[in-house]
Amino acid sequence: GFVFSGCPCDRDEENPTGPGSACDTTRPTLVTPYAYQSEMNVISEAYSETNACPWGFVHKGIDFFPLGDLATFRAASAGTIERLEKYHNTGSGNWQVNLDLRINSKYRLGYAFEQFSALEAHADTQMANISVVVGQAVSQGQTLGRLLVRGGGAHVVRRRRR
């Protein structure tokens, strides 16, 4: 799952836990990050926290590969957009757009809109196809953006964040 430990809130009467509190740690119910099953080609459950796995590297996410250009991705839970950035992945040499959705004080989901392209202009175009901004409250199922297929393909990685 997408569980995070270490809630920053104190657990006392001044900082109660539970829905709506400043220290809400309620485990969310999630929906798929893709809006339409018909737009998905492959869902790779290749998750590993160590290199001791068949693919030989840490991969703390699930990959969602679309059938084609502009597949719609959505908020798996209600929350607030905490981070949205264009990012150059020095490991792959490709550009991507990273988005973090804060669900509550304990849970956060990360989305990486990864086009397999080394062109920064493709990341700029991907950023223009993101439908949300930092600080925006979103409802479960609300569109976050559409994935552009550039370079040798594309996918969205949904991962847990700390």
Side-chain angles (χ1 to χ4, degrees):
F2 297 92
V3 178
F4 292 91
S5 60
C7 175
C9 303
D10 294 327
R11 295 210 162 72
D12 59 31
E13 275 130 52
E14 290 182 30
N15 293 302
T17 62
S21 72
C23 212
D24 182 359
T25 60
T26 306
R27 185 181 194 106
T29 300
L30 304 177
V31 297
T32 63
Y34 52 84
Y36 308 106
Q37 176 70 41
S38 61
E39 292 182 341
M40 289 299 102
N41 183 28
V42 175
I43 299 170
S44 171
E45 298 176 7
Y47 180 91
S48 177
E49 294 190 8
T50 72
N51 292 336
C53 57
W55 47 92
F57 59 91
V58 173
H59 187 262
K60 294 182 180 183
I62 299 172
D63 296 338
F64 298 87
F65 291 87
L67 281 169
D69 206 22
L70 297 174
T72 303
F73 285 85
R74 65 186 181 170
S77 177
T80 302
I81 304 303
E82 189 171 74
R83 178 175 70 128
L84 179 61
E85 68 177 5
K86 182 173 69 174
Y87 174 76
H88 186 245
N89 184 326
T90 56
S92 69
N94 294 330
W95 286 88
Q96 64 195 54
V97 172
N98 294 329
L99 181 153
D100 283 353
L101 173 64
R102 170 62 65 187
I103 298 171
N104 59 32
S105 63
K106 185 175 181 181
Y107 297 93
R108 182 169 46 149
L109 294 176
Y111 294 74
F113 288 77
E114 296 182 6
Q115 310 135 349
F116 303 146
S117 173
L119 298 177
E120 186 174 4
H122 288 163
D124 292 333
T125 305
Q126 179 60 67
M127 187 68 93
N129 278 276
I130 300 297
S131 307
V132 294
V133 296
V134 171
Q136 180 179 342
V138 297
S139 58
Q140 185 176 55
Q142 183 175 337
T143 297
L144 298 175
R146 298 178 63 137
L147 177 64
L148 298 171
V149 177
R150 300 292 183 265
H155 67 268
V156 168
V157 180
R158 189 179 74 185
R159 60 180 49 116
R160 64 185 185 157
R161 295 270 186 225
R162 293 191 190 269

